């Protein structure tokens, strides 16, 4: 099995396709398999890399809860890229992975050429910070006490997944089946040390506002908890766009894979042409054409 070392942890990864790299960062209740529809599509013209976070087999599942801090999730993206000799890539994250991807763009801004943040912001609004932390802690204790087999069906039936069940029963069943293969200890530690205690995305608002990084925010119109934060991020990043998918819940890339792929592909195409970012264009100098041409040459491999 292919692994990459990160801070003493071994992270399992899979890689498909050739071309400019895309790194996929998964959500809490799934693993790299959640990106299957995206990897099958984008690997036709991109080099696609997906990996399992620490705590998700066959990646290491450390016993020490301190090894699961939310900061490690950001550094793990960098470790995966360095391990594969990738200096710059598009980064696509979902939910928990979207949080890490946005922070990667902040802390490792030279490593991200574009970021897609899908379903970002659970637990970020001030109105549900306390309930979010409490719910994550309770679920962690229950997973430890009862195990993943006993909890998988209940987790798959949560309101954040009900739209997936109604739209794609087979896909929802596959999601639940894979959930049972996760580590209860890994998920419990992830909840307590990463999910329940991570800061709000609102805390980084001033820092995000200084990053001219191309960002696509993808959110379902029924993903209420993430809509508010996505709108905040849209108004904060100087070069962000938001796609709101109708009649869609939290698992947007699973519920509407074709629409998700189309919007992400259009976003990447705009970034690679140098035409993304309405606010940035107002600030461009007369050399914008030359910059756009240089951007295309870089992505085409003509420039180092």
């Amino acid at each position: 099995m292919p692994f990459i070392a990160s801070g003493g942890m071994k992270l399992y990864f899979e890689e498909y396709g050739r071309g400019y790299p895309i790194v996929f960062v998964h959500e809490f209740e799934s693993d790299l398999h959640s990106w299957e529809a995206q990897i099958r599509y984008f690997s036709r013209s991109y080099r696609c890399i997906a990996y399992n976070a620490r705590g998700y087999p066959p990646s290491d599942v450390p016993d020490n809860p301190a090894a699961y801090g939310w900061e490690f999730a950001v550094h793990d993206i960098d470790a995966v890229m360095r391990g594969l000799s990738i200096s710059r890539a598009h980064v696509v994250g979902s939910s928990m992975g979207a949080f890490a991807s946005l922070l990667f763009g902040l802390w490792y801004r030279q490593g991200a050429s574009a970021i897609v943040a899908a379903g970002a912001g659970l637990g970020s609004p001030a109105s549900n910070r306390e309930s979010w932390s409490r719910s994550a802690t309770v679920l962690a204790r229950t997973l430890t006490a009862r195990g993943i087999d006993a909890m998988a069906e209940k987790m798959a039936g949560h309101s954040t997944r009900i739209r997936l069940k109604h739209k794609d029963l087979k896909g929802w069943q596959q999601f639940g089946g894979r959930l049972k293969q996760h580590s209860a200890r890994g998920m419990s530690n992830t909840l307590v040390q990463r999910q329940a205690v991570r800061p709000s995305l609102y805390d980084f608002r001033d820092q995000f506002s200084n990053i001219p990084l191309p960002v696509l925010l993808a959110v379902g119109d029924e993903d209420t908890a993430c809509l508010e934060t996505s709108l905040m991020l849209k108004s904060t990043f100087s070069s962000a766009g938001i796609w709101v998918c109708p009649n869609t819940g939290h698992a947007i890339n699973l519920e509407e894979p074709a629409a998700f792929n189309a919007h992400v592909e259009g976003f990447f195409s705009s970034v690679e042409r140098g035409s993304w970012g309405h606010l940035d264009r107002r600030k461009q100098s007369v050399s914008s054409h030359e910059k756009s041409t240089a951007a295309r040459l870089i992505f085409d491999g003509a420039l180092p």
Side-chain angles (χ1 to χ4, degrees):
M1 287 186 177
F3 291 94
I4 288 173
S6 177
M9 299 292 115
K10 290 190 301 182
L11 303 179
Y12 172 75
F13 75 95
E14 294 183 6
E15 179 178 2
Y16 302 93
R18 299 177 63 185
Y20 192 78
I22 305 174
V23 178
F24 293 92
V25 191
H26 68 77
E27 59 168 313
F28 168 72
E29 291 184 343
S30 194
D31 56 14
L32 59 80
H33 291 100
S34 64
W35 297 114
E36 190 169 306
Q38 284 68 55
I39 290 174
R40 286 183 176 181
Y41 184 79
F42 285 102
S43 62
R44 301 176 185 187
S45 51
Y46 288 89
R47 179 186 178 189
C48 295
I49 300 100
Y51 66 96
N52 276 9
R54 54 182 69 199
Y56 290 75
S59 291
D60 282 348
V61 183
D63 292 324
N64 184 2
Y68 292 81
W70 63 270
E71 300 95 336
F72 292 126
V74 183
H75 300 315
D76 285 345
I77 300 174
D78 175 64
V80 168
M81 290 177 59
R82 285 188 290 105
L84 295 173
S85 299
I86 297 171
S87 59
R88 204 158 186 248
H90 297 328
V91 181
V92 182
S94 172
S95 193
M96 178 178 78
F99 184 99
S101 298
L102 289 168
L103 268 294
F104 177 80
L106 180 62
W107 294 355
Y108 296 94
R109 60 184 65 187
Q110 298 304 316
S113 47
I115 288 179
V116 177
L122 282 175
S124 282
S127 58
N128 64 6
R129 289 286 292 168
E130 185 177 343
S131 62
W132 162 258
S133 180
R134 183 171 57 251
S135 297
T137 303
V138 169
L139 179 56
R141 292 172 180 167
T142 308
L143 278 167
T144 300
R146 300 182 58 187
I148 189 63
D149 284 343
M151 292 300 297
E153 185 174 351
K154 182 176 181 180
M155 292 168 69
H158 192 268
S159 60
T160 58
R161 307 292 160 173
I162 200 66
R163 270 293 182 177
L164 175 62
K165 182 179 181 180
H166 292 163
K167 291 179 177 180
D168 181 4
L169 181 59
K170 183 176 181 180
W172 177 79
Q173 291 171 338
Q174 289 178 335
F175 166 77
R178 289 170 179 159
L179 189 55
K180 291 182 179 180
Q181 298 173 19
H182 293 344
S183 164
R185 182 176 73 246
M187 297 189 82
S188 178
N189 284 337
T190 298
L191 281 165
V192 173
Q193 295 297 324
R194 181 173 175 180
Q195 298 289 78
V197 299
R198 71 187 183 192
S200 167
L201 286 173
Y202 285 79
D203 295 343
F204 301 98
R205 195 167 187 175
D206 289 343
Q207 298 174 64
F208 285 152
S209 66
N210 294 319
I211 302 177
L213 180 68
V215 175
L216 175 65
L217 303 157
V219 63
D221 66 346
E222 296 181 10
D223 192 6
T224 309
C226 294
L227 273 170
E228 178 183 336
T229 304
S230 294
L231 290 170
M232 179 276 292
L233 292 170
K234 160 64 181 172
S235 67
T236 298
F237 282 98
S238 63
S239 190
I242 184 169
W243 167 51
V244 180
C245 188
N247 300 318
T248 299
H250 189 58
I252 186 170
N253 67 300
L254 296 177
E255 290 184 34
E256 299 293 345
F260 184 86
N261 291 349
H263 280 81
V264 171
E265 183 177 41
F267 169 59
F268 288 162
S269 179
S270 294
V271 170
E272 292 160 18
R273 291 196 309 269
S275 61
W276 177 265
H278 300 294
L279 293 180
D280 278 359
R281 281 203 296 273
R282 298 174 190 170
K283 302 174 184 178
Q284 285 182 343
S285 67
V286 292
S287 61
S288 60
H289 175 72
E290 287 83 358
K291 290 180 181 179
S292 177
T293 301
R296 288 197 301 272
L297 289 171
I298 291 170
F299 279 99
D300 290 341
L303 295 177

